[in-house]
C-alpha cells in the first residue's frame, strides 16, 4: 500500500505486504530528517533518520528515501506486521536544535 | 529505565488553575525540548534548552507558559491560569550535543482542562 501523507491520512495494508508512507517537507534548508512511530497513548519512537547528503538509508525492515529536488521523503516498511500499526510522522530540522513534524499517517495492518 | 521520564502521566485540572509538569531527560543529554500535541496532529515545538539555557521559544508559548531547567538536568513546564485550549499531550524529548542527532521522547503528560 502507498500513502501521500496529508492527502491520505490513513493507510490500510495487509499483513505481509510492503508499506510506503510519503511525506512532503517544507523547508529547503532542512538537512536532517527523522521518521517516528507513535502508538496510541505513547510518545513518538525513533525509527530511522537520514541526512541531506544521502538519498537512501536502510534499517531493519525499513528504508527511508530522500528526494531533495522535490522535497519528498518516504518510509518503506517491508513485510508489514500487526505491530507496525501506528501513526507515522516525518520530522525535519529547519534550524539547529528544533524538529518540525508533519501531520502524520495512520497505518492500519489488516490480517 | 534510562529513557526520558515525564510526570505526571495524566493531569485533570479546572480552568484557571496552575499546573506544572516535570521532565527528566536521558542523563548524558545536553539538549531538552518541550512539544505539545493535540489529537490527530503532529507534535508542535514549544521550547528548547541547551544545558540550563533556554535557546528558543515558539510563538505558541504564551506568557502563561514558562519552562525552566535550572541545573541543566530536569526541566519543568508550568502553565498558569489554564484554559480549555491548553488541553493536549505535552511531550518532552532529549538529545545529545553531538550535532544533529535523534531526539528521544518521553511518554508525555496528558493535560485535560475542564
Amino acid at each position: 500500500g502507498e500513502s501521500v501523507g496529508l492527502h491520505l491520512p490513513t493507510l490500510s495494508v495487509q499483513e505481509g505486504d510492503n508499506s510506503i508512507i510519503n511525506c512532503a517537507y517544507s523547508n529547503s534548508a532542512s538537512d536532517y530528517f527523522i521518521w517516528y512511530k507513535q502508538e496510541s497513548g505513547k510518545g513518538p519512537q525513533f525509527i530511522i533518520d537520514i541526512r541531506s547528503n544521502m538519498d537512501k538509508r536502510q534499517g531493519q525492515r525499513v528504508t527511508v528515501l530522500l528526494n531533495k529536488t522535490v522535497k519528498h521523503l518516504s518510509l518503506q516498511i517491508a513485510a508489514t506486521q500487526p505491530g507496525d500499526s501506528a501513526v507515522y510522522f516525518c520530522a525535519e530540522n529547519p534550524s539547529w536544535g528544533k524538529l518540525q513534524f508533519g501531520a502524520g499517517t495512520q497505518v492500519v495492518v489488516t490480517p | 529505565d534510562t529513557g526520558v521520564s515525564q510526570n505526571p502521566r495524566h493531569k485533570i485540572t479546572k480552568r484557571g488553575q496552575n499546573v506544572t509538569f516535570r521532565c527528566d531527560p536521558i542523563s548524558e543529554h545536553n539538549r531538552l525540548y518541550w512539544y505539545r500535541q493535540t489529537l490527530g496532529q503532529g507534535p508542535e515545538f514549544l521550547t528548547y534548552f541547551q544545558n540550563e539555557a533556554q535557546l528558543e521559544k515558539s510563538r505558541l508559548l504564551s506568557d502563561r507558559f514558562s519552562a525552566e531547567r535550572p541545573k541543566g538536568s530536569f526541566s519543568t513546564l508550568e502553565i498558569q491560569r489554564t484554559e480549555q485550549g491548553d488541553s493536549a499531550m505535552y511531550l518532552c524529548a532529549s538529545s545529545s550535543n553531538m550535532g544533529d542527532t535523534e531526539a528521544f521522547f518521553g511518554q508525555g503528560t496528558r493535560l485535560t482542562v475542564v
Side-chain angles (χ1 to χ4, degrees):
Chain A
E2 186 168 342
S3 162
V4 291
L6 292 176
H7 301 290
L8 289 173
T10 301
L11 173 65
S12 185
V13 60
Q14 199 160 15
E15 183 178 354
D17 287 351
N18 296 334
S19 304
I20 300 175
I21 306 165
N22 295 298
C23 174
Y25 65 91
S26 56
N27 196 319
S28 56
S30 295
D31 59 5
Y32 179 61
F33 306 87
I34 307 178
W35 279 100
Y36 282 94
K37 171 186 179 184
Q38 188 174 28
E39 297 172 284
S40 181
K42 296 184 178 181
Q45 177 186 0
F46 171 88
I47 301 174
I48 191 167
D49 59 3
I50 189 167
R51 301 190 186 283
S52 59
N53 60 353
M54 302 172 70
D55 298 322
K56 179 179 178 179
R57 191 166 188 219
Q58 289 185 294
Q60 187 176 17
R61 283 200 308 121
V62 294
T63 301
V64 55
L65 299 177
L66 174 62
N67 185 330
K68 294 180 289 295
T69 302
V70 295
K71 293 192 289 186
H72 183 268
L73 201 64
S74 70
L75 178 70
Q76 301 176 5
I77 305 174
T80 312
Q81 302 170 359
D84 295 327
S85 292
V87 178
Y88 289 79
F89 293 100
C90 65
E92 59 179 306
N93 75 328
S95 63
W96 187 78
K98 181 168 79 173
L99 286 175
Q100 184 171 304
F101 284 79
T105 299
Q106 173 83 54
V107 172
V108 178
V109 181
T110 58
Chain B
D1 185 352
T2 57
V4 178
S5 176
Q6 291 189 248
N7 288 288
R9 290 293 310 278
H10 304 274
K11 178 70 176 179
I12 300 175
T13 191
K14 291 183 178 179
R15 190 175 51 186
Q17 297 294 305
N18 299 343
V19 294
T20 300
F21 311 140
R22 177 178 169 125
C23 172
D24 288 272
I26 293 171
S27 59
E28 64 268 24
H29 283 180
N30 301 92
R31 301 179 186 175
L32 186 146
Y33 315 82
W34 284 100
Y35 286 81
R36 180 172 70 186
Q37 186 177 28
T38 54
L39 197 62
Q41 301 295 316
E44 296 173 295
F45 173 81
L46 292 178
T47 190
Y48 154 60
F49 289 86
Q50 173 81 27
N51 299 311
E52 66 274 11
Q54 189 172 18
L55 296 186
E56 190 171 347
K57 291 168 62 173
S58 164
R59 284 171 291 180
L60 295 173
L61 216 64
S62 75
D63 56 5
R64 296 186 297 106
F65 288 70
S66 62
E68 294 182 343
R69 195 182 183 198
K71 297 181 180 179
S73 55
F74 74 92
S75 175
T76 58
L77 177 68
E78 180 182 18
I79 309 174
Q80 296 181 326
R81 305 181 302 280
T82 52
E83 302 172 358
Q84 286 189 320
D86 297 331
S87 296
M89 174 79 86
Y90 290 83
L91 292 162
C92 176
S94 70
S95 68
S96 76
N97 200 34
M98 303 299 291
D100 280 314
T101 59
E102 63 197 82
F104 293 86
F105 282 82
Q107 299 285 49
T109 294
R110 179 163 296 285
L111 173 67
T112 302
V113 182
V114 298

